[in-house]
Amino acid sequence: MGCNQSLEVERSKEQKPFGSQMVSVHPRAGCGGPGVPQFTSTSSHRNTTLSRGSIRLNTLNFGTRKGHACPRPLRQAIQQHRHFRGLFNLSAPVLLWGGLLGPELWDSLSRHKAPYGWQNLSRQAITSTLNLLNSSESAELFAAPGDLPRPCIRCAVVGNGGILNGSRQGRNIDAHTFVFRLNGAVVEGFEHDVGAKTSFYGFTVNTMKNSLYTYWRLGFTSVPQGQDLRYIFIPSDIRDYLMLRSAILGVPVPEGPDKADRPDAYFGPHASARKFKLLHPAFISYVTKRFLKSKLINTNFGDLYMPSTGALMLLTALHTCDQVSAYGFITSDYWKYSDHYFDREKQPLVFYINHDLPLEATLWRDLHKAGILWLYQR
């Protein structure tokens, strides 16, 4: 999750060793190793920020980002850092929407398994979903009016790590322009430590449902809701596309593991397309290959591996915001803290095989040292 645990796997499944840890392996469909499909579009929206035809991933482009009011926007720190300057491509489309759909994109993404593409997934389900995400609001997280420079966009990404318990960071978190939360985001009763503001809630259908089931008694009794809140779907499998389509249409899920499920139970009764964002599979490929290319990919567990939900949300913020702060993410002294800030008793962090949390911890540390993000530590 980018915080101190993983919910893409179920604890009740078969146990397998991972070093000195015990990990639970859940055979999640469609999690092949990361390819890097090109970002392509054959639509008529080629002049929009997120629709650029083929984009070379080794090119760092700052031309689309505004934020001159920031004293030191993260892009300046990237430009000045030899290593990260070669990794970041701030022009890479982060979100997938109907304006990008075309034969070239389908051909490219069909070569790779989910979450990195659409191999063996229903074309009808995917295209019908994307056709509902057909406005400019679906193309960007936060749009500036016309070409006017936007103010400094400061984003807080809040993981669920136990380091936040007793942190008293709530006021600092809420002071950001936007606040990202994910999975089991318990807020009530912990406002002093984690704040109360939620702008974006990120998840896969699997992690959302597992969070509701696992943390119900700990306070996560419903998915965050609010008039201005937006939901970021991470397409880890076909069920994410099916749930998203049904949520926009306001109908039960027609097929798959969530058949007959009612999305309004999670997202409210009046959710429309403007409430939902969909992470681009090629963006997941890009951040995996560039930032989180784990050695696990080349093992027997390679088909299970993907960056954690928290990692994807944090990297999303790093590619869309002008300044980014990370709270509740794994740090080098993780063993001092409970798995989650809302645990009633201290629970040790367990490293699961479908994520590489030590690799993520190293990335957050290095980005913090480079001044590209600010990582909360104690």
Side-chain angles (χ1 to χ4, degrees):
M1 278 180 137
C3 30
N4 288 347
Q5 52 98 34
S6 163
L7 280 172
E8 279 88 347
V9 285
E10 296 177 358
R11 298 175 186 267
S12 61
K13 299 293 181 180
E14 178 185 4
Q15 299 289 321
K16 293 185 180 294
F18 175 35
S20 60
Q21 304 285 341
M22 295 300 292
V23 300
S24 300
V25 178
H26 179 209
R28 176 174 48 81
C31 286
V36 185
Q38 289 182 322
F39 300 112
T40 58
S41 171
T42 57
S43 76
S44 61
H45 301 272
R46 294 182 183 275
N47 293 324
T48 62
T49 300
L50 295 183
S51 181
R52 300 180 179 276
S54 177
I55 291 179
R56 294 175 299 171
L57 292 182
N58 62 347
T59 301
L60 182 64
N61 186 321
F62 300 102
T64 63
R65 294 174 62 86
K66 304 178 180 70
H68 303 295
C70 288
R72 190 171 185 264
L74 63 86
R75 66 180 180 274
Q76 291 184 5
I78 293 171
Q79 278 184 312
Q80 295 166 6
H81 196 279
R82 179 180 301 176
H83 174 66
F84 285 117
R85 184 170 63 239
L87 295 184
F88 274 91
N89 173 21
L90 297 180
S91 293
V94 175
L95 301 179
L96 181 61
W97 66 296
L100 297 179
L101 186 60
E104 292 180 32
L105 183 67
W106 181 265
D107 180 66
S108 178
L109 293 181
S110 294
R111 300 171 188 172
H112 307 280
K113 295 180 180 179
Y116 310 105
W118 296 333
Q119 189 178 104
N120 300 323
L121 301 186
S122 165
R123 184 165 187 165
Q124 190 279 330
I126 291 171
T127 56
S128 62
T129 300
L130 293 183
N131 285 336
L132 296 172
L133 297 172
N134 56 9
S135 75
S136 59
E137 284 192 80
S138 300
E140 299 186 66
L141 283 182
F142 17 81
D147 293 326
L148 295 177
R150 68 190 187 193
C152 179
I153 293 183
R154 301 177 59 247
C155 297
V157 186
V158 185
N160 301 324
I163 192 173
L164 287 179
N165 190 294
S167 66
R168 299 186 178 184
Q169 291 298 307
R171 181 176 296 180
N172 293 333
I173 290 171
D174 286 347
H176 288 75
T177 317
F178 298 106
V179 177
F180 294 68
R181 300 187 192 271
L182 50 123
N183 294 344
V186 180
V187 170
E188 187 175 357
F190 295 91
E191 294 89 347
H192 195 53
D193 290 334
V194 304
K197 180 178 179 178
T198 303
S199 312
F200 297 96
Y201 174 71
F203 59 97
T204 69
V205 172
N206 191 45
T207 61
M208 177 188 73
K209 286 195 164 187
N210 280 349
S211 295
L212 288 167
Y213 176 79
T214 306
Y215 306 128
W216 180 272
R217 294 183 179 180
L218 296 177
F220 190 65
T221 57
S222 65
V223 172
Q225 295 185 16
Q227 181 177 353
D228 297 325
L229 188 147
R230 300 292 182 262
Y231 300 102
I232 303 177
F233 273 76
I234 299 171
S236 69
D237 198 357
I238 193 63
R239 67 189 299 195
D240 298 287
Y241 294 96
L242 293 171
M243 179 68 76
L244 174 54
R245 181 181 65 182
S246 292
I248 296 172
L249 294 175
V251 299
V253 179
E255 57 183 303
D258 306 299
K259 184 176 181 179
D261 206 353
R262 299 193 62 89
D264 59 355
Y266 307 113
F267 312 117
H270 304 296
S272 62
R274 63 187 298 271
K275 296 283 291 183
F276 302 104
K277 312 292 182 180
L278 178 63
L279 215 60
H280 202 310
F283 180 74
I284 303 176
S285 295
Y286 153 69
V287 299
T288 301
K289 184 173 183 179
R290 290 296 187 90
F291 300 96
L292 292 169
K293 191 173 183 179
S294 172
K295 293 179 180 179
L296 294 172
I297 293 172
N298 298 318
T299 71
N300 293 334
F301 305 106
D303 283 350
L304 295 173
Y305 174 76
M306 68 179 290
S308 70
T309 308
L312 291 172
M313 288 299 96
L314 188 46
L315 284 160
T316 293
L318 285 167
H319 284 75
T320 52
C321 306
D322 299 309
Q323 293 180 346
V324 175
S325 303
Y327 297 85
F329 281 73
I330 185 171
T331 55
S332 60
D333 59 347
Y334 67 86
W335 48 271
K336 294 181 181 178
Y337 313 106
S338 189
D339 201 353
H340 314 98
Y341 63 80
F342 50 79
D343 290 331
R344 294 174 182 170
E345 297 180 358
K346 185 177 180 181
Q347 303 292 330
L349 170 63
V350 179
F351 293 88
Y352 293 94
I353 202 67
N354 60 329
H355 301 316
D356 192 337
L357 294 186
L359 180 61
E360 293 183 9
T362 300
L363 178 60
W364 313 145
R365 179 201 65 195
D366 292 346
L367 287 167
H368 176 82
K369 287 183 177 179
I372 296 170
L373 65 75
W374 180 84
L375 175 67
Y376 174 71
Q377 303 174 77
R378 293 172 73 174

